[in-house]
Amino acid sequence: MGKTYERIDGRLREFIEAQPVFFVATAPLAGDGTVNLSPKGLRGALAVLDDRTVAYLDFAGGNAETIAHLRENGRVTLMWCAFAGPPTVVRVHGRGEPVFRDDPRWPELLRHFPDIDPGPHGLRAVIVVRAELIRDTCGYAVPLMRYDTDRDLHGRRFAREDDTSLSAYFAGKEHVATSIDGLPGLPLPLPPTPAR
């Protein structure tokens, strides 16, 4: 039924890159901590960097649970489901880290997302995940659904913000600077957006 892979290439890479939505799961080390599961979308906001590494753009809007958990322990699982075509579920279990705007790797990482203008979306980090276990399973119970298009609401909402107002927005939002469990989240204020 399921298969384990040594690398993300060929058919597996094509499958991952073709999906319009994926899911990210993280958890703190504390046994009573809050497990987080987030949907991610926006075509072009995920890139396979090499055969063991993927990255995605982390935008304004949600809490910073994923960032907080990655800063604490790095454990992460990404999951893609085939909502069209042959039934497949792919999971990448690994170690992730948030790369922030003031990191020297920032400009090079953004080059992997040529179809995304990060300005209108309040880009706050690039999440880089190094795979430790790559596997697929059948998706027999995953429903068939039709993808129409990405919503434009996120870009329209955050296009009104600049670095100063975005930092103020984050500072006023609960569970961005710290997680639900009190872990350090997004470092504030945000560094200025570097030129691309």
Side-chain angles (χ1 to χ4, degrees), residues 14-181:
E14 290 171 10
F15 172 79
I16 287 172
E17 292 177 333
Q19 302 314 305
V21 65
F22 64 100
F23 303 88
V24 178
T26 58
L29 291 175
D32 61 350
T34 306
V35 175
N36 188 63
L37 177 62
S38 296
K40 303 293 179 184
L42 191 59
R43 285 223 187 245
L46 177 128
V48 177
L49 304 187
D50 63 41
D51 64 6
R52 301 280 300 175
T53 312
V54 298
Y56 69 88
L57 302 178
D58 181 76
F59 297 116
N63 294 340
E65 299 305 303
T66 300
I67 287 174
H69 296 159
L70 294 180
R71 290 181 71 188
E72 184 202 34
N73 61 67
R75 298 176 307 161
V76 63
T77 298
L78 306 180
M79 183 180 76
W80 296 263
C81 300
F83 294 109
T88 304
V89 176
V90 172
R91 290 178 182 86
V92 169
H93 306 266
R95 296 281 168 184
E97 70 168 311
V99 176
F100 300 114
R101 296 172 174 190
D102 55 354
D103 189 295
R105 296 171 292 172
W106 182 267
E108 179 58 34
L109 283 170
L110 285 189
R111 288 189 186 96
H112 291 278
F113 306 94
D115 299 330
I116 299 289
D117 178 1
H121 295 283
L123 182 60
R124 53 189 197 177
V126 178
I127 306 298
V128 178
V129 176
R130 182 81 176 152
E132 295 177 341
L133 175 64
I134 306 160
R135 61 191 183 96
D136 69 5
T137 56
C138 74
Y140 293 166
V142 176
L144 289 170
M145 297 191 304
R146 188 182 73 230
Y147 166 77
D148 291 329
T149 188
D150 288 333
R151 297 176 194 259
D152 67 352
L153 298 172
H154 191 271
R156 289 191 354 230
R157 161 60 185 94
F158 288 99
R160 303 188 302 248
E161 306 288 351
D162 59 18
D163 289 342
T164 302
S165 65
L166 196 57
S167 284
Y169 168 81
F170 289 142
K173 194 166 168 53
E174 190 176 24
H175 306 309
V176 170
T178 58
S179 74
I180 292 170
D181 300 313

